[in-house]
Amino acid sequence: MCCKMITDKEKLKINGVKIKPANGSCQSYNIIYCFVCKHCPKCYVGRTVRHLHERVSEHRGKFYELLDKPNVRFSDNFETSDIYSLGAHLVDDHGFLDKTNFNTSYEILILMNSSPKNLEINEHKFIQKLRSIKPFGINSNDPFGIPLLSFKT
């Protein structure tokens, strides 16, 4: 299912920034990726050293867990961790409660292929560039704990 979610668009505009997706597939690894919500202009930026389809399955699984076990919202790290961010966005912002909503609500693009040692830094750069931290985006935090930086344009 992951491969069907990957965009085939040559360029996307996310929070006012034009992005050209990097080459890759659901088998790609050592990448920075982006989930773009099809129902609003928000996005989520993440990184993985594993195959993209594995990471997407984990995100999908956390959405399912959120639907099956609503008490997970009361865990210590629910608000500060990105582990449930994509699922919480669908439930809280759009009221989606059906497991099929995950696959139909997001479009995925590979932002960059990266060496494993630079993944965290590159993820941070894209989180800042695309303004993907709440309330503008879906990410709960930046990997370095840095809030969104303001840039004059």
Side-chain angles (χ1 to χ4, degrees):
M1 184 49 73
C2 168
C3 287
K4 291 180 183 178
M5 295 173 71
I6 295 175
T7 188
D8 59 357
K9 296 175 185 167
E10 291 186 27
K11 287 188 181 179
L12 283 96
K13 193 170 188 178
I14 302 171
N15 287 333
V17 179
K18 291 180 184 174
I19 296 290
K20 181 180 179 193
N23 290 329
S25 71
C26 56
Q27 295 297 320
S28 296
Y29 57 94
N30 294 332
I31 57 168
I32 308 301
Y33 61 89
C34 181
F35 276 76
V36 180
C37 183
K38 294 180 179 181
H39 307 286
C40 71
K42 294 183 178 182
C43 73
Y44 172 92
V45 173
R47 68 181 188 270
T48 186
V49 295
R50 293 170 292 132
H51 292 130
L52 179 59
H53 71 89
E54 293 175 68
R55 189 67 186 108
V56 171
S57 290
E58 288 176 349
H59 284 300
R60 186 183 303 109
K62 291 301 178 183
F63 173 58
Y64 294 174
E65 185 179 339
L66 192 57
L67 295 178
D68 294 339
K69 301 175 187 173
N71 287 342
V72 77
R73 290 181 170 278
F74 303 110
S75 64
D76 290 339
N77 66 348
F78 184 81
E79 290 297 325
T80 58
S81 168
D82 274 332
I83 187 171
Y84 293 100
S85 292
L86 288 166
H89 173 71
L90 294 179
V91 173
D92 298 343
D93 293 1
H94 302 297
F96 293 152
L97 300 173
D98 189 292
K99 290 184 178 182
T100 62
N101 293 132
F102 189 87
N103 294 338
T104 59
S105 295
Y106 289 116
E107 181 173 36
I108 302 170
L109 61 143
I110 296 171
L111 295 170
M112 168 185 257
N113 295 287
S114 178
S115 70
K117 75 176 193 170
N118 293 326
L119 274 173
E120 206 169 47
I121 293 167
N122 289 326
E123 178 190 30
H124 161 74
K125 288 178 182 177
F126 274 106
I127 285 172
Q128 293 293 324
K129 182 177 184 176
L130 300 178
R131 302 185 59 75
S132 69
I133 295 177
K134 291 177 183 177
F136 307 106
I138 301 171
N139 288 83
S140 295
N141 59 49
D142 178 283
F144 297 112
I146 299 172
L148 281 178
L149 304 174
S150 295
F151 297 102
K152 291 187 179 189
T153 53

